[in-house]
Amino acid sequence: MKVLLLENISGIAAQLFARRGFTVETVPSALDEAALLERIGGVSILGVRSKTPITRGLIERAPELLAIGAFCIGVDRIDRAACSDRGVAVFNDPHSNSRSVAELALGEIIMLARRVFASSTELHRGDWTKSASGCHEVRGLTLGIVGYGKIGSQLSDLAEALGLRVIFHDVAEVLARGNAKRTSLPDLLEAADIVTVHVDGRPQNARMFAEQQFQCMKPGALFLNLARGSVVDYDALASALRSGRLGGAAVDVYPEEPEGNGSFATPLQGLPNVILTPHVGGSTEQAQEHIGRFVSSRLVEYAQTGNTLMSVNLPQCHLDLAAGTHRLTHLHRNMPGMLLHINEVLAERNINIERQVLDTRGELGYAIYDVNAALGEDLIKKLHQIPHTIRVRSLLQ
Ligand SMILES: NC(=O)c1ccc[n+]([C@@H]2O[C@H](COP(=O)([O-])OP(=O)(O)OC[C@H]3O[C@@H](n4cnc5c(N)ncnc54)[C@H](O)[C@@H]3O)[C@@H](O)[C@H]2O)c1
């Protein structure tokens, strides 16, 4: 099978594919639709990061495409509905850069508490102003974490190790780590010396931090957003900083971010004790390596065994491999009687089902079968002819 990896995906991914018998082509940049169409013929697995748009038009003109790996978290640029319609599995990696984000948040908390960026900027300008005023050790301060998921909970561990008192707020039932204490959002805003946001991008979270929330925070408190730009009203944050209501902020994400490197504007520019970074919270070499390893191993697993665990769009099915059996996978619309029809086709040919597993997800159903006989082309054709079938694969013969 041929693999095409775009956007400078970690070399670990190419190595892993090559070791497992795939032919690999790599392209260092993103490709636009026309350029990608020229290269997609014969490609079974396509790897992208966040810059290559995957449209329905492309999916429909790539009949051999089996799976797409998004070597990042976001899959917004991939038309997942088109992928599902054509039976193309999509995989991403929602976990691997969470440590990188937590570490950056922790570093920024110390930098803000010591006003390091403000005094560094002054010294770059040639002004020596040595002062302890407004500078604090973080030990003993209260850190309020809003959103206690993968990143928030790791930050909790790191912060407690430094002697911060951690309180957190989450809408889900999550387990408190160490001595961290759960609390409501109003109580968190009132008690925290530092508030850091790590919620996800669900629509209800749009502008959950605006003037009213900043007014409820302690005078001089610090504020961090490394989650989503849409969650914070940055005009309101800039006013709170300008008025001295807040003592500093670190921001890594913005409501609208440029597609590529170039100029950028935000109301937060030019304010003292404000750290601005261009959405680099998860951008470390270690995170890229982890993502490269994780997504490529999911893709290899899907291509070679049909297992779909962690797929973004397909139902989640896993069947351990057993020696001496032949594997069949069947992706179809989630309609009554689909298994009956598949089983009938196998039974007509006296093929015994050794094991089978089915899962459904929305409009899709996916079944993996291990059977006792090799699956010929006529049988695969017959299975394809079952109404509502999307894709049939015969593996491991
Ligand atoms: N800056 C970066 O480079 C970078 C990198 C990775 C992730 N992120 C962002 O960081 C955020 C957190 O990522 P994660 O992997 O920890 O996500 P996660 O899904 O593991 O955790 C999010 C948590 O927020 C909670 N939550 C959602 N809405 C809430 C609300 N209104 N109030 C309180 N809690 C709420 C959820 O219940 C969940 O526990 C996401 O928005 C993600 O996109 C940014």
Side-chain angles (χ1 to χ4, degrees):
M1 282 187 191
K2 192 164 139 191
V3 180
L4 176 62
L5 300 177
L6 310 182
E7 299 190 54
N8 215 8
I9 287 166
S10 167
I12 283 184
Q15 284 167 21
L16 197 139
F17 282 119
R19 267 207 310 277
R20 299 294 292 268
F22 293 79
T23 307
V24 187
E25 271 181 30
T26 57
V27 176
S29 58
L31 294 180
D32 62 21
E33 187 168 338
L36 187 50
L37 268 171
E38 275 178 25
R39 303 193 66 141
I40 200 80
V43 170
S44 300
I45 294 177
L46 174 65
V48 294
R49 287 170 68 190
S50 52
K51 291 193 179 127
T52 304
I54 306 291
T55 61
R56 182 173 285 275
L58 180 94
I59 299 292
E60 289 182 348
R61 279 179 278 172
E64 285 148 291
L65 193 60
L66 190 64
I68 297 175
F71 285 75
C72 51
I73 296 184
V75 285
D76 307 352
R77 308 218 72 198
I78 300 175
D79 187 332
R80 272 116 55 217
C83 290
S84 300
D85 289 345
R86 292 288 168 146
V88 176
V90 181
F91 293 89
N92 71 339
D93 183 354
H95 301 287
S96 287
N97 62 9
S98 51
R99 172 71 185 207
S100 302
V101 182
E103 283 191 11
L104 181 62
L106 186 73
E108 290 182 333
I109 286 167
I110 297 174
M111 296 295 123
L112 290 173
R114 297 295 293 272
R115 302 187 63 81
V116 167
F117 274 62
S119 56
S120 169
T121 308
E122 283 165 16
L123 205 50
H124 272 289
R125 280 202 305 259
D127 297 333
W128 180 280
T129 24
K130 181 173 169 170
S131 168
S133 171
C135 296
H136 301 276
E137 288 183 355
V138 295
R139 179 176 52 164
L141 296 185
T142 298
L143 173 65
I145 301 177
V146 183
Y148 204 69
K150 292 180 285 296
I151 295 171
S153 59
Q154 283 196 64
L155 177 59
S156 177
D157 288 340
L158 296 174
E160 281 205 322
L162 279 178
L164 281 138
R165 198 171 77 85
V166 176
I167 54 177
F168 69 90
H169 168 66
D170 200 294
V171 288
E173 279 307 316
V174 288
L175 190 67
R177 318 269 299 214
N179 293 317
K181 298 268 178 308
R182 187 185 189 115
T183 183
S184 68
L185 185 58
D187 287 350
L188 181 147
L189 296 179
E190 201 182 309
D193 300 295
I194 306 145
V195 173
T196 183
V197 185
H198 300 285
V199 300
D200 52 59
R202 66 186 75 178
Q204 305 91 296
N205 288 343
R207 290 180 169 235
M208 72 179 278
F209 278 86
E211 190 185 344
Q212 191 201 340
Q213 286 68 33
F214 296 130
Q215 285 301 328
C216 294
M217 285 170 61
K218 272 187 173 177
L222 305 172
F223 179 81
L224 292 89
N225 181 18
L226 289 87
R228 295 285 180 117
S230 58
V231 169
V232 180
D233 177 343
Y234 284 138
D235 287 317
L237 177 60
S239 302
L241 289 160
R242 235 181 261 116
S243 69
R245 172 82 210 168
L246 296 187
V251 169
D252 188 45
V253 287
Y254 308 86
E256 279 171 25
E257 298 180 1
E259 299 263 313
N261 294 340
S263 61
F264 181 68
T266 159
L268 300 165
Q269 279 158 338
L271 296 169
N273 210 27
V274 172
I275 304 173
L276 300 178
T277 45
H279 204 151
V280 293
S283 303
T284 61
E285 293 188 8
Q286 287 86 349
Q288 290 310 316
E289 282 172 17
H290 288 148
I291 290 170
R293 200 172 293 120
F294 182 87
V295 179
S296 54
S297 62
R298 293 289 90 223
L299 290 163
V300 168
E301 171 88 0
Y302 176 63
Q304 297 188 335
T305 71
N307 289 331
T308 51
L309 287 189
M310 305 289 292
S311 168
V312 173
N313 62 329
L314 297 195
Q316 310 267 319
C317 277
H318 175 95
L319 200 54
D320 282 335
L321 294 176
T325 53
H326 303 265
R327 181 159 289 192
L328 164 76
T329 69
H330 196 279
L331 179 69
H332 46 261
R333 296 265 159 226
N334 183 13
M335 308 288 283
M338 287 305 296
L339 285 199
L340 179 68
H341 296 307
I342 301 167
N343 294 353
E344 270 173 7
V345 171
L346 297 173
E348 276 163 14
R349 285 161 176 76
N350 211 23
I351 293 175
N352 194 39
I353 300 167
E354 305 283 350
R355 293 169 310 148
Q356 82 187 104
V357 59
L358 165 83
D359 190 23
T360 62
R361 183 174 186 175
E363 292 182 357
L364 296 180
Y366 182 63
I368 305 178
Y369 287 75
D370 280 352
V371 297
N372 71 339
L375 302 156
E377 271 186 25
D378 63 319
L379 175 75
I380 299 295
K381 205 168 150 197
K382 192 86 185 157
L383 289 165
H384 262 295
Q385 286 165 355
I386 298 173
H388 311 297
T389 295
I390 298 173
R391 194 185 276 263
V392 183
R393 294 173 65 212
S394 156
L395 300 163
L396 310 168
Q397 300 213 39

